């Protein structure tokens, strides 16, 4: 049996912004969730998660709902307040 590798497109790519919209940054990081299979709600952030991670339980894609609260430090603080432990660097998703 032979294996073949085919390029794939990730399902989590953000849609491009129109000129009327304000583009919010999208961050990606890994987290520990205290054994819960899902993320709790995190006010001010739109989160998507999938169970593929090197360091933690989940990989999270986060987009701020308010441009004023859009930094990595604000994301880490919001996750910690919701009981989720951020791990490793917060990367800007391009």
């Amino acid at each position: 049996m032979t294996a073949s590798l085919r390029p794939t497109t990730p399902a989590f790519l953000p849609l491009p912004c129109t000129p009327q919209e304000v583009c919010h940054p999208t961050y990606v990081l890994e987290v520990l969730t205290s054994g819960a299979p899902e993320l709790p709600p995190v006010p001010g952030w739109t989160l998507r998660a999938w169970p593929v991670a090197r360091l933690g339980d989940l990989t999270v894609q986060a987009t701020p709902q308010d441009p004023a609260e859009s930094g990595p430090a604000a994301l880490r603080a919001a996750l910690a307040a919701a009981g989720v432990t951020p791990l490793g660097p917060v990367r800007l998703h391009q």
Side-chain angles (χ1 to χ4, degrees):
M1 180 164 28
T2 58
S4 62
L5 298 175
R6 295 186 187 123
T8 59
T9 303
F12 55 86
L13 292 176
L15 296 173
C17 296
T18 63
Q20 295 80 21
E21 294 178 325
V22 174
C23 288
H24 300 292
T26 300
Y27 300 104
V28 177
L29 72 154
E30 294 185 18
V31 298
L32 286 175
T33 60
S34 304
E38 297 179 1
L39 287 172
V42 178
W45 293 86
T46 301
L47 303 177
R48 294 176 68 191
W50 54 98
V52 177
R54 289 183 182 178
L55 301 175
D57 299 326
L58 298 171
T59 299
V60 175
Q61 179 181 1
T63 305
Q65 295 169 354
D66 179 10
E69 298 294 325
S70 63
L75 173 58
R76 285 182 171 278
L79 288 169
V84 176
T85 305
L87 298 172
V90 176
R91 297 178 306 273
L92 184 62
H93 183 70
Q94 302 273 333

